[in-house]
Amino acid sequence: MPHERPATDATIPRRALLAAGLALLGGALPPVGAARGQDSGTPARTVKGLYLSYHGVGDRTIRGRVLDLLERTELNAVVIDVKGDEGYVPYDSQVPLAREAGATGRVRVRDFDQIIGRLKAKGIYLIARIVVFKDNVLARYRPAWAVADSGTGALWIDAERLAWIDPFEDSAWPYAIAIATEAARKGFDEIQLDYLRFPTEGHLAAARFGRPSTPASREQAVAAFLERARAALQPTGTRLAVDAFGYTAFNLDDTGIGQRLETLAPRVDVLCPMAYPSSYHLGIPGYRNPVTHPYEIVFETVRRACERTAGTPVQVRPWIQNFRDYAFDRRPFEAAEVQAQTRAALDAGATGWMLWNPQNRYTVEALEPKPPLPAR
């Protein structure tokens, strides 16, 4: 996902770029059957959410626009940046390392707790987005924990000029988990971990990690982090979610980033594939140009994710594209395209969906009005 500055079209692709070695054209697609629901004990709430960025939550106009949509439309959930792409926290965190490292140096929301309280009172489902390994603030404060440049010995920098924490450096893990636990205690219903993966952008050949980066070692690091996070959050009763590249639903390996569905699913409550048609640069079987088939792209992603995680209690809830295409013909994704995707998600077995627009500008025409309250 893009970082906290006001996003432009140029920032959108960075969240969706694929790791090298995508197996899509190499025949590594598992056969799947018809979509089916997950083996959860009780019916899941249909979560219909949208994203509110680090910048947006601190801007009264943007925040007001998003909150108005929650009041007027079918939306019943919001994903709020709690630790954004650069590593900043929008409120005055009491996690000691956050304060020492300067993560609270750009506090944008003085009344954060009051905002959360008001949303809770309205019955809005609250999701805290925690960016894990992409953390420019912590990497610069604790360079021994960061991915290093093998050529210079300095910090390795990605395509956005941001430094990363080495996913193998388990000494750094308690920090993101502490922020997540703090958010849970503030009243968030769900913690959504983003960038819980290895980097994919920049001069990857120069990235030096603390251990050899292999499919097995990457997968093990991501799984171990999830286990620690789940144990820390368990006393709070807060659900745990993880964002995943859309192609992970099609690839049998870790997609070069440490994410494999069979490893993620048993360790989280919600799996959130980023099913943006624009991000499927190579298309999917039967659909070479994904932006002309938004329904089919989302349907197949969710269907395959549900099929491969069947037998676990995990729920699948994808991210939906509500921003202009950047990879094919730059077409806008407006009401028809958004509705095709949200319908596909539910048709394929998802328990909801979340809209992504980095500028927090959403297409209200794509949303149903808020249903009337039942008569007493």
Side-chain angles (χ1 to χ4, degrees):
M1 294 182 179
H3 50 79
E4 291 83 358
R5 71 171 180 262
T8 65
D9 282 349
T11 67
I12 296 171
R14 296 184 175 126
R15 183 175 189 253
L17 290 175
L18 299 174
L22 174 69
L24 235 175
L25 299 184
L29 292 172
V32 294
R36 64 184 182 221
Q38 303 298 278
D39 297 329
S40 53
T42 58
R45 176 182 184 179
T46 301
V47 172
K48 300 176 180 181
L50 80 176
Y51 167 64
L52 183 58
S53 67
Y54 171 88
H55 174 75
V57 74
D59 184 294
R60 289 184 181 275
T61 300
I62 296 174
R63 188 172 73 227
R65 187 170 69 224
V66 167
L67 298 184
D68 181 63
L69 286 177
L70 290 167
E71 288 276 359
R72 297 192 294 116
T73 72
E74 63 185 309
L75 294 169
N76 58 17
V78 60
V79 183
I80 299 175
D81 269 348
V82 164
K83 184 162 94 67
D85 295 55
E86 292 186 21
Y88 289 107
V89 178
Y91 60 86
D92 190 19
S93 173
Q94 298 305 301
V95 174
L97 187 52
R99 302 172 76 86
E100 295 167 17
T104 59
R106 298 182 182 178
V107 171
R108 303 187 58 86
V109 190
R110 301 292 176 184
D111 58 344
F112 190 84
D113 290 351
Q114 289 77 12
I115 292 170
I116 297 304
R118 289 195 294 271
L119 290 170
K120 291 283 286 185
K122 293 178 182 292
I124 301 299
Y125 187 75
L126 298 176
I127 304 171
R129 176 178 176 252
I130 308 285
V131 173
V132 181
F133 295 135
K134 186 166 83 165
D135 192 329
N136 193 60
V137 171
L138 184 62
R140 294 186 181 280
Y141 183 70
R142 291 280 176 85
W145 292 352
V147 180
D149 187 305
S150 60
T152 67
L155 294 176
W156 179 84
I157 303 298
D158 71 6
E160 291 182 328
R161 308 301 301 166
L162 298 175
W164 282 58
I165 293 298
D166 183 345
F168 292 126
E169 184 54 69
D170 58 5
S171 298
W173 296 358
Y175 173 65
I177 293 171
I179 300 269
T181 303
E182 182 178 62
R185 298 197 186 282
K186 285 183 178 293
F188 280 91
D189 301 290
E190 181 177 307
I191 301 299
Q192 185 182 102
L193 302 177
D194 199 6
Y195 286 92
L196 185 67
R197 61 172 177 81
F198 284 70
T200 60
E201 306 153 321
H203 184 27
L204 298 177
R208 187 178 70 211
F209 301 98
R211 291 171 53 191
S213 178
T214 67
S217 67
R218 291 189 298 263
E219 194 175 329
Q220 189 277 334
V222 169
F225 183 97
L226 284 173
E227 288 168 1
R228 288 201 195 179
R230 190 171 187 86
L233 290 169
Q234 194 276 332
T236 72
T238 307
R239 302 175 81 206
L240 182 62
V242 64
D243 291 338
F245 275 6
Y247 270 131
T248 61
F250 297 81
N251 291 348
L252 292 175
D253 62 9
D254 77 325
T255 310
I257 59 174
Q259 293 186 342
R260 194 169 71 90
L261 296 194
E262 288 79 4
T263 302
L264 299 176
R267 294 170 170 86
V268 297
D269 300 297
V270 187
L271 178 68
C272 305
M274 298 180 290
Y276 313 129
S278 289
S279 72
Y280 294 75
H281 296 4
L282 301 176
I284 66 171
Y287 303 99
R288 189 66 181 84
N289 186 339
V291 299
T292 61
H293 298 282
Y295 178 93
E296 291 81 2
I297 296 298
V298 172
F299 184 91
E300 278 300 298
T301 300
V302 172
R303 181 175 74 93
R304 289 173 183 272
C306 288
E307 180 76 14
R308 288 176 58 187
T309 60
T312 75
V314 75
Q315 296 170 10
V316 176
R317 186 201 310 141
W319 280 102
I320 297 300
Q321 179 169 342
N322 192 188
F323 55 84
R324 181 180 293 275
D325 169 61
Y326 56 82
F328 293 89
D329 57 15
R330 295 190 58 78
R331 70 179 62 202
F333 268 61
E334 297 179 337
E337 293 81 9
V338 171
Q339 288 174 340
Q341 293 174 86
T342 57
R343 185 172 70 252
L346 299 181
D347 287 352
T351 60
W353 42 260
M354 299 164 293
L355 303 181
W356 175 266
N357 181 290
Q359 296 172 311
N360 304 153
R361 292 187 177 277
Y362 297 99
T363 306
V364 64
E365 295 81 7
L367 302 170
E368 295 292 332
K370 183 76 73 181
L373 294 173
R376 293 189 177 184

